Amino acid sequence: MNSPVLIACAHGTRNAEGQAAIRQVMAEIEALRPGLRVVEAYVDVQEPELGGVVEGLPEGTAAVVVPLLLSTGFHIKVDVPKAIKTRPEVVAARPLGPDPRLAELLATHLRAAGLQEHDGVLLAAAGSSLPDGSVDSEEQARLLAELLPNKVRVAYGASAQPTVPDGVASLRAELAAELASEPSGPAGRVFIASYLLATGYFHDQLAKAGADVVAAPLLPSKVLAEIALERYDAVLERLS
């Protein structure tokens, strides 16, 4: 029996580097699972748009939409269900995050950027307009905090509070208060952990937020393709 099509659905970006990074994930999914048909789709900015991709599948073709997104927000709760609602044979998997392997990746990037134990870490996520849209990012921050001795806080690029600049300022104030109570200790810096898949508009904004160091985004890494396939397999297991 043929495996259902895997529709790899990303947000979309105008940044050429970001586009290439997402397509690399799709290529890695294909390389990890030879014979599996992987189709690209986007919920914003880029084509092909997810709804059109689903409509273009021959009637009766089983497919799993795997969101190459990090959190459960508007796209997961509204855009994806809307795109598949008339096709019961097309189902959706959960997003890539939160996941302990993403925490490992974030920690690796922070250490590569020079993180020391007296520094503070701000997990910068894209943000969601939904009331519960911050839950996944907060869980990812908790997973990251388990791996690091540092203070770990969360902030958002858009649609949620605190904003990244406010988060940087607040964390800097925390570190300053700590130094004031223990003047012999080293002054801590503010590091931003870029909880974004790739370079693009949101990642570019992080450099303007006032932190001392901005770590690299998650990609490139084969970990994202591995997680995407696990999300796909989890759906098949649920349906079997």
Side-chain angles (χ1 to χ4, degrees):
M1 193 171 115
N2 289 336
S3 297
V5 174
L6 188 156
I7 302 175
C9 181
H11 181 277
T13 176
R14 292 183 180 85
N15 181 283
E17 220 177 296
Q19 291 175 0
I22 293 297
R23 289 199 174 107
Q24 180 62 29
V25 174
M26 296 175 188
E28 286 166 353
I29 292 170
E30 289 180 313
L32 286 168
R33 190 70 57 87
L36 175 63
R37 185 183 170 204
V38 178
V39 177
E40 72 177 304
Y42 302 91
V43 289
D44 202 358
V45 184
Q46 277 179 261
E47 297 288 339
E49 186 265 332
L50 177 61
V53 169
V54 172
E55 281 176 27
L57 292 173
E59 202 72 36
T61 301
V64 178
V65 177
V66 177
L68 301 186
L69 301 166
L70 296 171
S71 303
T72 301
F74 188 86
H75 296 306
I76 297 291
K77 288 198 168 182
V78 179
D79 290 336
V80 173
K82 182 181 173 185
I84 67 175
K85 68 179 180 182
T86 62
R87 300 292 290 269
E89 71 275 30
V90 180
V91 292
R94 56 171 287 232
L96 301 177
D99 191 281
R101 288 162 293 185
L102 298 181
E104 293 277 3
L105 202 49
L106 290 162
T108 297
H109 288 329
L110 287 163
R111 293 182 187 117
L115 183 73
Q116 301 294 317
E117 65 177 36
H118 52 274
D119 298 323
V121 172
L122 187 72
L123 182 81
S128 169
S129 58
L130 297 182
D132 59 350
S134 302
V135 173
D136 284 355
S137 299
E138 287 165 2
E139 172 61 10
Q140 190 63 62
R142 188 190 68 75
L143 292 170
L144 178 60
E146 287 182 352
L147 302 177
L148 301 171
N150 313 74
K151 288 180 186 299
V152 177
R153 305 290 182 260
V154 192
Y156 302 94
S159 305
Q161 298 295 326
T163 65
V164 176
D166 287 350
V168 168
S170 176
L171 183 51
R172 198 177 291 288
E174 273 192 72
L175 295 172
E178 213 168 65
L179 185 63
S181 67
E182 217 178 304
S184 59
R189 298 165 295 168
V190 174
F191 276 63
I192 289 179
S194 179
Y195 190 47
L196 301 166
L197 286 177
T199 52
Y201 175 78
F202 283 122
H203 184 75
D204 291 346
Q205 297 309 300
L206 300 184
K208 306 170 188 174
D212 297 291
V213 180
V214 178
L218 294 167
L219 294 173
S221 170
K222 286 187 179 175
V223 167
L224 282 298
E226 291 167 1
I227 295 173
L229 277 169
E230 279 191 21
R231 301 292 185 256
Y232 172 85
D233 289 339
V235 171
L236 300 192
E237 195 175 318
R238 192 177 77 227
L239 296 175
S240 63

